[in-house]
Amino acid sequence: MLVSGILLGMLAAFAVFSYASLVQVRGSSFDFYVHYVGARVVWAGETPYTEAVATRIQLDMFGQRVTEGSNIHRVAYPAYAHVFLGPFALLPAPAAIALWMALQLLGLFTAPLIWFYLYGWRPRSLIVAALMLGFVFVFRYPIITYVIAQFNGVMLLAVTLGVWALVSHRDGLAGGLLALATVPPTITLPFAGLLLGILLLRGRWRALAVFIAMLAGATLISFGLIGWWLPDFLVTISAYAQYANTVWWATDIPALGLGLLPLYGGLLARAGWYWWRTSAVRQAQVDLAVTLLTVMVGVLPITGSYTLTLLIVPLAATAARLGSVQSDVGRWLLIVLFALTLVSPWLYFVVGGGLSGVEVILMPAQVALLWGAAQVAADDGVTPPTRYAV
């Protein structure tokens, strides 16, 4: 653990230095800059959902107004998110962007290691190195996250740490971490709400209480700063849906999406039954969280391919489960399928010429099927090893 911490610290320092050089070349042309400006505007007591703010962002990023019909880079996150981003608003834009990009990369490298730990899996160093290279540099979606300064690296790490805190019975900390993970809220807000609601059935109310309190507190602070912003936000979201590359199976390819619902339903049923029987066991809790996140990515609208970065969670869980597969033939078959899954986003890209509805619908299903197969192959009668007890 000490060596891993030192290596991750060195990675973070190198990333900040490298991204600082990149920011000098590209200026403000990063997705994070939109919400950096949004945070500064909110903390200055102004609403970020105006045409003037959009124009300022466009001029800073591109030197001109962006034509309608493309991503016009309006601030489209709820104002409470910009309360959480307040510390970055205190920094100059180049420093804030470079630091944010470094945090994305650090999150992408750290999160899978934590999932391995949660499953009690300690693979050889070469296997860890190969998996990390696969997750961060081969799997296409994370590349967008750390090249254009998206949010999914930090979101992935916050979700991961939140689950770690839950299985460690640090429920208050878990609620706070999962609240931070809702920036942006599209996938992680319903995921966290559902996960914490399920835990409430076992009397674990503290995480949900802290989660709600943090979001409510940030929202009240935003109301105090800029007033009643919800109507302007709803108008912005409605306009965003018209120019953003949003894909949802229910509106784009409903027949294909409906055909995949039994897969997600089966995974949820297994995870829920396993957890209900053995909810005091770490593996049952972790399986439930992994399955819930996988299903959320599969059934909710996707606003960009970078959102599929969250599929690293079931991929890391699958890798950990492969170590428990007893059959050599079954293990090697799953390893081959795992490797094909990592490279398949590039095949979708080549065949489809870019992000398509078919890719956004099939990629989560492909990962979900692999995750389900790994659970079945490693199944030991739903009686987990005693080392997983918490």
Side-chain angles (χ1 to χ4, degrees):
M1 293 296 291
L2 178 60
V3 173
S4 298
I6 293 173
L7 290 175
L8 289 171
M10 293 173 62
L11 171 67
F14 174 76
V16 170
F17 176 79
S18 300
Y19 284 133
S21 300
L22 182 60
V23 170
Q24 288 182 347
V25 175
R26 292 187 54 182
S28 301
S29 298
F30 298 93
D31 281 8
F32 174 69
Y33 185 73
V34 177
H35 302 288
Y36 169 80
V37 172
R40 291 178 70 91
V41 168
V42 167
W43 283 99
E46 303 173 25
T47 179
Y49 308 115
T50 64
E51 190 68 29
V53 172
T55 299
R56 171 185 166 187
I57 292 170
Q58 293 166 15
L59 292 176
D60 289 348
M61 293 180 69
F62 310 112
Q64 60 183 3
R65 288 292 307 273
V66 178
T67 59
E68 296 292 335
S70 60
N71 190 339
I72 56 179
H73 292 83
R74 292 183 181 276
V75 177
Y77 286 1
Y80 79 79
H82 299 97
V83 173
F84 291 144
L85 293 174
F88 291 90
L90 299 174
L91 300 173
I97 294 170
L99 179 59
W100 184 256
M101 294 172 78
L103 287 175
Q104 305 314 303
L105 193 59
L106 187 63
L108 291 168
F109 271 103
T110 304
L113 298 176
I114 298 174
W115 288 104
F116 297 161
Y117 167 77
L118 289 174
Y119 278 102
W121 188 49
R122 293 178 175 84
R124 300 175 185 174
S125 298
L126 287 178
I127 294 176
V128 173
L131 286 171
M132 301 311 295
L133 290 174
F135 291 147
V136 180
F137 299 113
V138 176
F139 198 50
R140 178 167 61 89
Y141 311 115
I143 296 174
I144 304 171
T145 290
Y146 57 77
V147 168
I148 65 173
Q150 256 294 331
F151 282 68
N152 293 277
V154 167
M155 184 165 57
L156 176 68
L157 181 59
V159 166
T160 300
L161 290 173
V163 174
W164 164 80
L166 283 175
V167 301
S168 302
H169 289 274
R170 296 175 171 88
D171 287 5
L173 176 61
L177 288 166
L178 290 174
L180 293 176
T182 64
V183 182
T186 313
I187 301 293
T188 48
L189 182 60
F191 160 76
L194 187 56
L195 177 61
L196 298 180
I198 291 173
L199 291 178
L200 187 64
L201 297 176
R202 291 295 194 194
R204 295 179 62 177
W205 56 269
R206 192 182 304 276
L208 183 61
V210 173
F211 177 78
I212 293 173
M214 274 196 65
L215 292 183
T219 301
L220 290 174
I221 291 172
S222 68
F223 287 154
L225 290 170
I226 64 174
W228 184 249
W229 50 264
L230 289 177
D232 291 337
F233 172 67
L234 293 176
V235 171
T236 299
I237 288 295
S238 177
Y240 180 80
Q242 298 174 17
Y243 65 77
N245 187 22
T246 303
V247 178
W248 189 28
W249 64 268
T251 55
D252 289 88
I253 313 178
L256 179 59
L258 285 172
L260 293 171
L261 288 183
L263 167 64
Y264 296 125
L267 287 175
L268 280 176
R270 184 194 183 282
W273 176 69
Y274 186 11
W275 174 81
W276 189 256
R277 287 189 58 196
T278 57
S279 60
V281 172
R282 171 180 290 187
Q283 184 175 301
Q285 298 176 39
V286 178
D287 277 2
L288 178 64
V290 171
T291 300
L292 283 177
L293 187 61
T294 306
V295 172
M296 293 296 102
V297 175
V299 302
L300 294 177
I302 299 296
T303 57
S305 61
Y306 43 79
T307 305
L308 299 181
T309 299
L310 294 174
L311 293 176
I312 288 176
V313 169
L315 287 172
T318 297
R321 277 301 194 94
L322 292 181
S324 300
V325 176
Q326 298 299 315
S327 167
D328 290 339
V329 175
R331 186 187 310 111
W332 279 107
L333 177 60
L334 287 169
I335 289 173
V336 170
L337 293 175
F338 182 89
L340 290 175
T341 300
L342 284 181
V343 302
S344 60
W346 295 102
L347 301 179
Y348 283 119
F349 185 80
V350 172
V351 174
L355 184 68
S356 66
V358 172
E359 176 186 358
V360 169
I361 295 170
L362 286 184
M363 193 67 227
Q366 184 177 338
V367 174
L369 187 61
L370 179 66
W371 165 233
Q375 291 180 82
V376 171
D379 198 353
D380 53 3
V382 198
T383 305
T386 55
R387 70 176 179 273
Y388 291 138
V390 294

